[in-house]
Amino acid sequence: MTEILFDNARWGQDAPVLSILTPFKGDDPTPLLAALGREPLARPGQAELLVLDDGSGDPALAARVEAAVADLSLPARFIRLDANEGRSKGRNRLVRHARGQWLLFLDSDMLPDRPDFIATWLDLIAKDQPAVAFGGFSLDQAPANPDNALHRAIADGSDCQPAAVRARMPEKIFTSNLLVRRDVFAAETFDEAFTGWGWEDVEWGMRVAARWPILHVDNTATHLGLDTAETLTAKYEQSIGNFLKITARHPDLMARYGSLKIAKLLRRAPLLQRFKPLLKAYVLARTPPVRSRAFALRLYRAALYAEAMA
């Protein structure tokens, strides 16, 4: 794997408190970089930004990202890979380049919901020195359109929750907006056996929650990258192997998750192989109500898992 590094003029400053880590593949992270660069910090050099192009293979996009990194007021490094290495390996690579004692994993399709987003994380670090904290995410700034209506319904119904609700299942975190102390990550990195899409962040959360408290706070960022129904079904299809891994490793914790509960019920359903494509067709149809399509999508995911568990 070949790395191409670009550091902006401020990178040579002293090591910061916080390293913001943003991987991308094909998505354009420059709106996020611009938003982070607009936030004034109380002390220069408190935070740095590291951006990873995980094998996008798009020279024009790389040039835009490099220009954005060059203009940032934050110390910043742009890491460009010549081939894709995946979500877990890419994030582990970013950590190896980071210099801060706290690491903020922030996805490239996120946008902070408040003008003092970085400062809020720095205040939390100064006050509590948390081992792990999850800021949550919202859809507040995400444009609504028919193409992403299904994903919006899914996220609104399960993922966009206030901290008090999220804290009931503290291990259920996402790398979209996740703060981790460096020593914690040194002890528990992302498992690179998880490839493709899904579950690697929750599995990490399950391991970490057994050793350290996971704090849930309300410092959200908007998830701008809402998917089409076609992309969502494809991602769920890619997640089967990771689901089997996490279920085998953490059976007691996974027993609380609806996806496993429904999958176990569907294993006993007759004609599952015929039922599954009908569910997918309903999900992809544009005319049924979005809520019923969202319900069908959850069933489709569970049917995929049930078939793999059989």
Side-chain angles (χ1 to χ4, degrees):
M1 188 72 65
T2 301
E3 284 186 340
I4 301 171
L5 302 182
F6 172 78
D7 298 339
N8 70 7
R10 287 150 293 284
W11 179 257
Q13 296 175 0
D14 294 338
V17 174
L18 176 66
S19 295
I20 304 169
L21 311 179
T22 298
F24 71 94
K25 182 180 182 294
D27 297 322
D28 185 350
T30 57
L32 171 63
L33 305 190
L36 295 174
R38 285 193 295 268
E39 181 175 343
L41 297 180
R43 294 189 302 278
Q46 287 179 294
E48 68 180 8
L49 177 65
L50 296 99
V51 187
L52 172 71
D53 181 348
D54 192 7
S56 296
D58 185 340
L61 175 59
R64 291 199 301 276
V65 174
E66 184 173 312
V69 166
D71 287 342
L72 280 172
S73 57
L74 295 169
R77 166 169 284 182
F78 177 33
I79 307 159
R80 186 179 173 193
L81 302 183
D82 61 348
N84 176 250
E85 64 178 358
R87 293 159 61 90
S88 293
K89 286 185 178 181
R91 289 183 172 89
N92 288 341
R93 181 183 293 272
L94 278 166
V95 172
R96 292 196 293 271
H97 284 270
R99 303 176 298 175
Q101 290 305 303
W102 273 265
L103 313 166
L104 177 63
F105 295 95
L106 186 63
D107 281 353
S108 62
D109 58 358
M110 305 297 284
L111 200 62
D113 285 333
R114 52 192 297 169
D116 59 347
F117 175 78
I118 301 174
T120 299
W121 280 123
L122 289 168
D123 288 345
L124 180 70
I125 290 168
K127 178 184 175 185
D128 296 331
Q129 298 187 331
V132 182
F134 180 53
F137 69 85
S138 78
L139 301 177
D140 292 351
Q141 303 174 74
N145 60 63
D147 286 341
N148 65 30
L150 180 62
H151 195 175
R152 178 178 285 274
I154 290 285
D156 267 339
S158 60
D159 297 332
C160 298
Q161 302 288 351
V165 174
R166 288 186 267 115
R168 297 170 191 166
M169 297 178 73
E171 80 285 349
K172 189 178 179 182
I173 51 86
F174 306 101
T175 50
S176 53
N177 185 15
L178 177 68
L179 183 76
V180 186
R181 203 170 62 215
R182 180 176 282 277
D183 64 295
V184 174
F185 195 84
E188 296 287 356
T189 61
F190 292 114
D191 187 341
E192 296 182 2
F194 281 73
T195 59
W197 184 86
W199 293 106
E200 78 283 346
D201 40 13
V202 177
E203 194 278 333
W204 181 87
M206 289 177 173
R207 280 187 280 125
V208 169
R211 302 178 63 182
W212 294 277
I214 297 179
L215 180 65
H216 285 260
V217 299
D218 289 313
N219 187 24
T220 60
T222 290
H223 182 203
L224 295 174
L226 294 176
D227 293 320
T228 64
E230 290 79 8
T231 300
L232 275 179
T233 54
K235 285 183 174 180
Y236 287 166
E237 289 158 4
Q238 294 169 23
S239 73
I240 295 170
N242 287 351
F243 173 80
L244 294 177
K245 286 186 181 75
I246 191 173
T247 301
R249 295 180 186 182
H250 306 281
D252 294 340
L253 286 173
M254 284 298 293
R256 300 186 297 161
Y257 283 68
S259 51
L260 179 58
K261 292 177 182 178
I262 299 170
K264 286 182 174 179
L265 291 174
L266 290 180
R267 286 174 66 187
R268 299 192 290 269
L271 304 177
L272 177 60
Q273 289 185 341
R274 293 186 183 181
F275 175 62
K276 185 162 60 71
L278 294 176
L279 278 173
K280 183 175 181 178
Y282 190 84
V283 169
L284 298 180
R286 296 303 181 99
T287 52
V290 171
R291 286 189 178 183
S292 65
R293 291 172 63 209
F295 178 72
L297 180 59
R298 293 187 181 95
L299 280 181
Y300 177 66
R301 179 178 62 178
L304 290 168
Y305 295 163
E307 191 172 54
M309 293 165 61

Coordinates of all heavy atoms in Angstrom, one line a residue, residues 60-115:
A60 N -9.0 14.4 -9.5 CA -9.6 15.7 -9.4 C -10.1 15.9 -7.9 O -10.0 17.0 -7.4 CB -10.8 15.8 -10.4
L61 N -10.7 14.9 -7.3 CA -11.2 15.0 -5.9 C -10.0 15.2 -5.0 O -10.0 16.0 -4.1 CB -12.0 13.7 -5.6 CG -12.4 13.6 -4.1 CD1 -13.3 14.8 -3.7 CD2 -13.1 12.3 -3.9
A62 N -8.9 14.4 -5.3 CA -7.7 14.5 -4.4 C -7.2 16.0 -4.5 O -6.7 16.5 -3.5 CB -6.7 13.5 -4.9
A63 N -7.2 16.5 -5.7 CA -6.7 17.9 -5.8 C -7.5 18.9 -5.0 O -7.0 19.8 -4.4 CB -6.6 18.3 -7.3
R64 N -8.9 18.7 -5.0 CA -9.7 19.6 -4.3 C -9.5 19.5 -2.8 O -9.4 20.5 -2.0 CB -11.2 19.3 -4.6 CG -11.6 19.7 -6.0 CD -13.1 19.8 -6.1 NE -13.9 18.6 -5.8 CZ -14.1 17.6 -6.6 NH1 -13.6 17.6 -7.8 NH2 -14.8 16.5 -6.2
V65 N -9.3 18.2 -2.3 CA -9.1 18.0 -0.9 C -7.7 18.6 -0.5 O -7.6 19.3 0.5 CB -9.1 16.5 -0.6 CG1 -8.7 16.3 0.9 CG2 -10.5 15.9 -0.8
E66 N -6.7 18.4 -1.3 CA -5.4 19.0 -1.0 C -5.5 20.5 -0.9 O -4.9 21.1 0.0 CB -4.4 18.6 -2.1 CG -3.0 19.0 -1.8 CD -1.9 18.5 -2.7 OE1 -1.9 17.3 -3.0 OE2 -1.1 19.3 -3.2
A67 N -6.2 21.1 -1.8 CA -6.3 22.6 -1.8 C -7.1 23.0 -0.5 O -6.7 24.0 0.1 CB -7.1 23.1 -3.0
A68 N -8.1 22.3 -0.1 CA -8.8 22.6 1.1 C -8.0 22.5 2.3 O -8.0 23.3 3.2 CB -10.1 21.7 1.2
V69 N -7.2 21.4 2.4 CA -6.2 21.2 3.5 C -5.2 22.3 3.6 O -4.9 22.8 4.6 CB -5.6 19.8 3.3 CG1 -4.4 19.7 4.3 CG2 -6.6 18.7 3.6
A70 N -4.7 22.7 2.4 CA -3.7 23.8 2.4 C -4.3 25.1 3.0 O -3.6 25.9 3.6 CB -3.2 24.1 1.0
D71 N -5.6 25.4 2.8 CA -6.2 26.6 3.2 C -6.6 26.6 4.7 O -7.0 27.6 5.2 CB -7.4 26.9 2.4 CG -7.0 27.4 1.0 OD1 -5.8 27.8 0.8 OD2 -7.9 27.3 0.1
L72 N -6.6 25.4 5.3 CA -7.2 25.3 6.7 C -6.3 26.1 7.7 O -5.1 26.1 7.6 CB -7.2 23.8 7.1 CG -8.4 23.0 6.6 CD1 -8.1 21.5 6.9 CD2 -9.7 23.5 7.2
S73 N -7.0 26.7 8.7 CA -6.3 27.3 9.8 C -5.8 26.3 10.8 O -4.9 26.5 11.6 CB -7.3 28.3 10.5 OG -8.4 27.6 10.9
L74 N -6.4 25.0 10.8 CA -5.9 24.0 11.6 C -4.7 23.3 11.0 O -4.6 23.2 9.8 CB -7.0 22.9 11.7 CG -8.4 23.2 12.4 CD1 -9.4 22.1 12.1 CD2 -8.2 23.4 13.9
P75 N -3.8 22.8 11.9 CA -2.7 21.9 11.3 C -3.4 20.7 10.7 O -4.3 20.1 11.3 CB -1.9 21.5 12.6 CG -2.3 22.6 13.6 CD -3.7 23.0 13.3
A76 N -3.0 20.3 9.5 CA -3.7 19.3 8.8 C -2.8 18.5 7.9 O -1.8 19.0 7.4 CB -4.8 19.9 7.9
R77 N -3.1 17.2 7.8 CA -2.3 16.2 7.0 C -3.3 15.5 6.1 O -4.4 15.0 6.6 CB -1.5 15.3 7.8 CG -1.0 14.0 7.0 CD 0.0 13.2 7.8 NE 1.3 14.0 7.8 CZ 2.4 13.5 8.4 NH1 2.4 12.3 9.1 NH2 3.5 14.2 8.4
F78 N -3.0 15.4 4.8 CA -3.8 14.6 3.9 C -3.0 13.4 3.5 O -1.9 13.5 3.0 CB -4.1 15.5 2.6 CG -4.9 14.8 1.5 CD1 -5.8 13.8 1.8 CD2 -4.7 15.2 0.2 CE1 -6.5 13.2 0.8 CE2 -5.4 14.6 -0.8 CZ -6.3 13.6 -0.5
I79 N -3.6 12.2 3.7 CA -3.0 10.9 3.4 C -3.8 10.3 2.2 O -5.0 10.2 2.3 CB -3.1 10.0 4.6 CG1 -2.5 10.7 5.8 CG2 -2.3 8.7 4.3 CD1 -2.9 10.0 7.1
R80 N -3.1 10.0 1.2 CA -3.8 9.5 0.0 C -3.2 8.1 -0.3 O -2.0 7.9 -0.4 CB -3.5 10.4 -1.2 CG -4.3 10.0 -2.5 CD -4.0 11.0 -3.5 NE -4.5 10.7 -4.8 CZ -4.2 11.2 -6.0 NH1 -3.3 12.2 -6.0 NH2 -4.7 10.8 -7.1
L81 N -4.1 7.1 -0.4 CA -3.7 5.7 -0.7 C -4.0 5.3 -2.1 O -5.0 5.8 -2.7 CB -4.5 4.7 0.2 CG -4.3 4.9 1.7 CD1 -5.1 3.8 2.5 CD2 -2.8 4.9 2.1
D82 N -3.2 4.5 -2.7 CA -3.3 4.1 -4.1 C -4.3 3.0 -4.3 O -4.7 2.6 -5.4 CB -2.0 3.7 -4.7 CG -1.3 2.5 -4.0 OD1 -1.8 2.1 -2.9 OD2 -0.4 2.0 -4.6
A83 N -4.8 2.4 -3.2 CA -5.8 1.3 -3.2 C -6.6 1.3 -1.9 O -6.2 1.8 -0.9 CB -5.1 -0.1 -3.4
N84 N -7.8 0.8 -2.0 CA -8.7 0.8 -0.9 C -8.3 -0.3 0.1 O -8.0 -1.4 -0.3 CB -10.2 0.6 -1.3 CG -11.1 0.4 -0.1 OD1 -11.6 -0.6 0.1 ND2 -11.4 1.5 0.5
E85 N -8.2 0.1 1.4 CA -7.9 -0.9 2.4 C -9.0 -1.2 3.4 O -8.9 -2.1 4.2 CB -6.6 -0.5 3.2 CG -6.7 0.7 4.0 CD -5.4 1.0 4.8 OE1 -4.5 0.1 4.6 OE2 -5.3 2.0 5.5
G86 N -10.1 -0.4 3.4 CA -11.3 -0.7 4.2 C -11.4 0.2 5.4 O -10.5 0.9 5.8
R87 N -12.6 0.1 6.0 CA -13.0 1.0 7.1 C -12.1 0.8 8.3 O -11.7 1.8 8.9 CB -14.5 0.8 7.4 CG -15.4 1.2 6.3 CD -16.8 0.5 6.4 NE -17.5 0.9 7.6 CZ -18.3 1.9 7.7 NH1 -18.5 2.7 6.7 NH2 -18.9 2.1 8.9
S88 N -12.0 -0.4 8.8 CA -11.2 -0.6 10.0 C -9.7 -0.3 9.8 O -9.1 0.4 10.6 CB -11.3 -2.0 10.5 OG -12.7 -2.3 10.9
K89 N -9.1 -0.8 8.7 CA -7.7 -0.6 8.5 C -7.4 0.9 8.2 O -6.4 1.5 8.7 CB -7.2 -1.4 7.3 CG -7.1 -2.9 7.5 CD -6.5 -3.6 6.3 CE -6.3 -5.0 6.6 NZ -5.7 -5.7 5.4
G90 N -8.3 1.6 7.5 CA -8.1 3.0 7.3 C -8.1 3.8 8.5 O -7.3 4.7 8.7
R91 N -9.1 3.5 9.4 CA -9.1 4.3 10.7 C -7.9 4.0 11.6 O -7.4 4.9 12.2 CB -10.4 4.0 11.4 CG -11.6 4.7 10.7 CD -12.9 4.5 11.4 NE -14.0 5.2 10.8 CZ -14.8 4.8 9.8 NH1 -14.6 3.6 9.3 NH2 -15.7 5.6 9.2
N92 N -7.5 2.8 11.6 CA -6.3 2.4 12.3 C -5.1 3.2 11.8 O -4.2 3.6 12.5 CB -6.0 0.9 12.3 CG -7.0 0.1 13.2 OD1 -7.7 0.7 14.1 ND2 -7.1 -1.1 12.9
R93 N -5.0 3.3 10.4 CA -3.9 4.0 9.8 C -3.9 5.5 10.2 O -2.9 6.1 10.5 CB -4.0 3.9 8.3 CG -2.9 4.6 7.5 CD -3.1 4.5 6.0 NE -2.9 3.2 5.5 CZ -1.8 2.6 5.2 NH1 -0.7 3.3 5.2 NH2 -1.8 1.4 4.7
L94 N -5.1 6.1 10.2 CA -5.2 7.5 10.6 C -4.7 7.7 12.1 O -4.0 8.7 12.3 CB -6.7 8.0 10.6 CG -7.2 8.4 9.2 CD1 -8.7 8.5 9.2 CD2 -6.6 9.7 8.8
V95 N -5.0 6.8 13.0 CA -4.5 6.9 14.3 C -3.0 6.9 14.4 O -2.4 7.6 15.2 CB -5.1 5.8 15.2 CG1 -4.5 5.8 16.6 CG2 -6.6 5.9 15.3
R96 N -2.4 6.1 13.6 CA -0.9 6.0 13.6 C -0.3 7.4 13.2 O 0.9 7.7 13.6 CB -0.4 4.9 12.6 CG -0.8 3.5 13.1 CD 0.0 2.4 12.4 NE -0.3 2.3 11.0 CZ -1.3 1.5 10.5 NH1 -2.0 0.8 11.4 NH2 -1.5 1.4 9.2
H97 N -1.0 8.2 12.4 CA -0.5 9.5 12.0 C -0.8 10.6 13.0 O -0.2 11.6 13.0 CB -1.0 9.9 10.6 CG -0.4 9.1 9.5 ND1 0.8 9.6 8.8 CD2 -0.7 8.0 8.8 CE1 1.1 8.8 7.8 NE2 0.3 7.8 7.8
A98 N -1.8 10.3 13.8 CA -2.3 11.4 14.7 C -1.4 11.6 15.9 O -0.6 10.7 16.3 CB -3.7 10.9 15.3
R99 N -1.4 12.9 16.3 CA -0.5 13.3 17.4 C -1.2 13.6 18.7 O -0.6 13.8 19.8 CB 0.4 14.5 17.0 CG 1.2 14.2 15.7 CD 1.9 15.4 15.2 NE 1.0 16.5 14.9 CZ 1.4 17.7 14.5 NH1 2.7 18.0 14.5 NH2 0.5 18.6 14.2
G100 N -2.5 13.8 18.7 CA -3.3 14.2 19.8 C -3.5 13.0 20.8 O -3.4 11.9 20.5
Q101 N -3.8 13.4 22.1 CA -4.1 12.4 23.1 C -5.5 12.0 23.1 O -5.9 11.0 23.7 CB -3.7 13.0 24.5 CG -2.2 13.2 24.7 CD -1.5 11.8 24.5 OE1 -1.8 10.8 25.1 NE2 -0.5 11.8 23.6
W102 N -6.4 12.7 22.4 CA -7.7 12.3 22.1 C -8.0 12.3 20.6 O -7.4 13.1 19.9 CB -8.8 13.2 22.8 CG -9.0 12.8 24.2 CD1 -10.1 12.0 24.6 CD2 -8.3 13.2 25.4 NE1 -10.0 11.9 26.0 CE2 -8.9 12.6 26.5 CE3 -7.2 14.0 25.6 CZ2 -8.5 12.8 27.8 CZ3 -6.7 14.2 26.8 CH2 -7.4 13.5 27.9
L103 N -8.7 11.3 20.2 CA -9.0 11.1 18.7 C -10.5 11.2 18.5 O -11.3 10.6 19.2 CB -8.6 9.6 18.4 CG -7.2 9.2 18.9 CD1 -7.0 7.7 18.7 CD2 -6.1 9.9 18.1
L104 N -10.8 12.1 17.5 CA -12.2 12.2 17.2 C -12.4 11.7 15.8 O -12.0 12.2 14.8 CB -12.6 13.7 17.2 CG -14.1 14.0 16.7 CD1 -15.1 13.4 17.7 CD2 -14.3 15.5 16.6
F105 N -13.1 10.5 15.7 CA -13.5 9.9 14.4 C -14.7 10.6 13.9 O -15.8 10.6 14.5 CB -13.7 8.4 14.6 CG -12.5 7.7 15.0 CD1 -12.3 7.4 16.3 CD2 -11.6 7.2 14.0 CE1 -11.1 6.6 16.7 CE2 -10.5 6.5 14.4 CZ -10.2 6.2 15.7
L106 N -14.6 11.3 12.8 CA -15.6 12.1 12.2 C -15.7 11.8 10.7 O -14.8 12.1 9.9 CB -15.3 13.6 12.4 CG -16.4 14.6 12.0 CD1 -17.6 14.4 12.9 CD2 -15.8 16.0 12.2
D107 N -16.9 11.2 10.3 CA -17.0 10.8 8.9 C -17.0 11.9 8.0 O -17.5 13.1 8.3 CB -18.3 9.9 8.8 CG -18.1 8.5 9.3 OD1 -17.0 8.1 9.6 OD2 -19.1 7.8 9.3
S108 N -16.7 11.7 6.8 CA -16.5 12.7 5.8 C -17.8 13.3 5.3 O -17.8 14.4 4.7 CB -15.7 12.2 4.5 OG -16.5 11.1 3.9
D109 N -18.9 12.6 5.5 CA -20.2 13.1 5.1 C -21.0 13.7 6.3 O -22.2 13.8 6.2 CB -21.1 12.0 4.4 CG -21.3 10.8 5.3 OD1 -20.8 10.8 6.4 OD2 -22.0 9.9 4.8
M110 N -20.3 14.1 7.3 CA -20.9 14.8 8.4 C -20.7 16.3 8.3 O -19.8 16.8 7.7 CB -20.3 14.3 9.7 CG -20.4 12.8 9.9 SD -22.0 12.1 10.0 CE -22.5 12.6 11.7
L111 N -21.5 17.1 9.1 CA -21.4 18.5 9.2 C -21.8 18.9 10.6 O -22.9 18.6 11.0 CB -22.3 19.2 8.1 CG -22.0 20.6 7.8 CD1 -20.6 20.7 7.1 CD2 -23.1 21.2 6.8
P112 N -20.9 19.6 11.3 CA -21.2 20.0 12.7 C -22.5 20.8 12.8 O -22.8 21.6 12.0 CB -20.0 20.8 13.1 CG -18.9 20.3 12.3 CD -19.5 20.0 11.0
D113 N -23.3 20.5 13.9 CA -24.6 21.2 14.0 C -24.5 22.4 14.9 O -25.5 23.2 15.0 CB -25.6 20.2 14.7 CG -26.1 19.2 13.8 OD1 -26.2 19.4 12.6 OD2 -26.5 18.1 14.3
R114 N -23.3 22.7 15.4 CA -23.1 24.0 16.2 C -21.8 24.6 15.8 O -20.8 23.9 15.5 CB -23.2 23.6 17.7 CG -22.3 22.5 18.1 CD -22.6 22.0 19.5 NE -22.4 23.0 20.5 CZ -22.8 22.9 21.8 NH1 -23.4 21.8 22.2 NH2 -22.6 23.9 22.7
P115 N -21.7 25.9 16.0 CA -20.5 26.6 15.6 C -19.3 26.4 16.5 O -18.2 26.7 16.1 CB -20.9 28.1 15.6 CG -22.1 28.2 16.5 CD -22.8 26.9 16.4

